[in-house]
Amino acid sequence: MSVFKRLNHILTPHAFSLLLTAGAVNVGMFALIVRYARLDVFASRPLLSLKTILNGNRTDAWAMMAYFIILVVCYGIGWWAVRKLHGPAVWAAVVIVALFSGFVLLFVYPYAAADIYDYIGHARISGVYGANPFVQVINNYPNDPFYAYAYWKTDPSTYGPAWELVAAPVARLAGDGVIATTIAFKLLAGSFLLLTLAALGGFLSHVARERALTAVLLLAWNPIVLFESFGMGHNDFAMVLWLILAAWAIAKRHYTLSILALAAGVLFKFIPLL
């Protein structure tokens, strides 16, 4: 018996414990990452990058790299563990870890992209000022509290009308506070990720039940997916959700519904046209 087979044989009875341990470490690593760039500390300073936040501190830079490497290791352990497991408790563990990881990432400054403040700026054009974000640009509102945070001030919205319709009331309800509005838009992005996870689980439970749990974990625990959605607030899953629903409809031979789902995805982000 090879070393790997022997190790697999020894660890398999402890797969659920390893899953829980990996999940706990996963949440802890995200908490450590947030510690270097807390939203409440840096919210008053627009358009910061990680380089600016770390201010040349190589020790912190190496530490953050180590945390991401550990996240990848936990991701791999989680993937290995769920292949040995089944049942509601395992599903609950996978989802709860994703939820806690997402919650922690709500409080990191979005230093890896300025997109979230582009979303906010255009959403405020429609939700706060009652104008058209496909015609008006952020540059037309220099007194807006988010003006300094926007990077693409002279461009109209490049997203679909459905996204703007969803984003506008979020901007209106969140008010003028930078922290509150940033978290609100992260929650919006994260909510679409959670809906995508639900759609993926439902889809694969229909066409490949034995792979559904593994596939959900591969998306739900993916460090980049969590970091970019709950952490940086990217809105990609507002579009991916509809691609999964279209695939589900095709699998069930509901071809008209699949076309409608793709059309809905285009109304959020134009990539499904491809």
Side-chain angles (χ1 to χ4, degrees):
M1 183 181 294
S2 70
V3 174
F4 290 110
K5 287 184 178 180
R6 187 179 296 112
L7 186 62
N8 184 71
H9 179 73
I10 294 170
L11 293 178
T12 296
H14 308 288
F16 189 65
S17 296
L18 286 171
L19 178 69
L20 294 179
T21 302
V25 174
N26 194 80
V27 176
M29 290 303 102
F30 278 126
L32 289 173
I33 289 168
V34 170
R35 183 171 63 91
Y36 288 99
R38 285 166 43 193
L39 180 60
D40 62 321
V41 173
F42 294 100
S44 61
R45 299 168 61 186
L47 300 177
L48 291 179
S49 66
L50 182 59
K51 180 180 178 180
T52 307
I53 290 171
L54 294 181
N55 195 28
N57 189 320
R58 292 189 177 186
T59 300
D60 289 347
W62 281 106
M64 287 194 70
M65 186 181 297
Y67 299 150
F68 274 105
I69 290 171
I70 293 171
L71 282 169
V72 173
V73 173
C74 291
Y75 184 46
I77 292 171
W79 169 78
W80 173 86
V82 295
R83 293 169 67 220
K84 312 291 182 182
L85 301 165
H86 58 84
V90 185
W91 278 95
V94 169
V95 173
I96 288 171
V97 169
L99 288 173
F100 272 97
S101 298
F103 175 77
V104 169
L105 285 167
L106 292 176
F107 303 100
V108 68
Y109 183 96
Y111 55 75
D115 297 48
I116 189 170
Y117 294 114
D118 182 53
Y119 309 155
I120 292 170
H122 289 114
R124 287 179 63 82
I125 289 175
S126 54
V128 176
Y129 300 109
N132 187 341
F134 298 104
V135 176
Q136 298 294 316
V137 296
I138 295 170
N139 213 34
N140 295 338
Y141 302 88
N143 295 320
D144 186 85
F146 289 89
Y147 180 81
Y149 292 83
Y151 188 80
W152 296 278
K153 292 182 175 67
T154 59
D155 298 328
S157 174
T158 57
Y159 301 100
W163 169 256
E164 295 301 343
L165 286 172
V166 170
V170 175
R172 183 169 60 251
L173 292 172
D176 294 339
V178 173
I179 294 176
T181 304
T182 302
I183 290 176
F185 272 78
K186 288 185 177 195
L187 283 170
L188 179 60
S191 296
F192 277 110
L193 170 59
L194 295 177
L195 289 172
T196 302
L197 289 171
L200 180 63
F203 169 40
L204 289 178
S205 293
H206 175 74
V207 301
R209 182 178 295 273
E210 72 283 357
R211 291 191 293 173
L213 178 57
T214 305
V216 168
L217 179 133
L218 286 174
L219 184 60
W221 283 28
N222 187 306
I224 300 301
V225 166
L226 289 167
F227 182 77
E228 293 294 344
S229 55
F230 281 104
M232 299 298 109
H234 277 119
N235 65 358
D236 298 272
F237 283 96
M239 172 267 298
V240 174
L241 168 65
W242 301 99
L243 296 178
I244 299 295
L245 291 174
W248 193 354
I250 290 172
K252 298 186 76 171
R253 300 182 183 276
H254 297 319
Y255 301 117
T256 301
L257 287 177
S258 71
I259 295 298
L260 291 174
L262 287 173
V266 171
L267 292 176
F268 279 88
K269 206 166 185 177
F270 303 122
I271 292 172
L273 281 173
L274 299 175

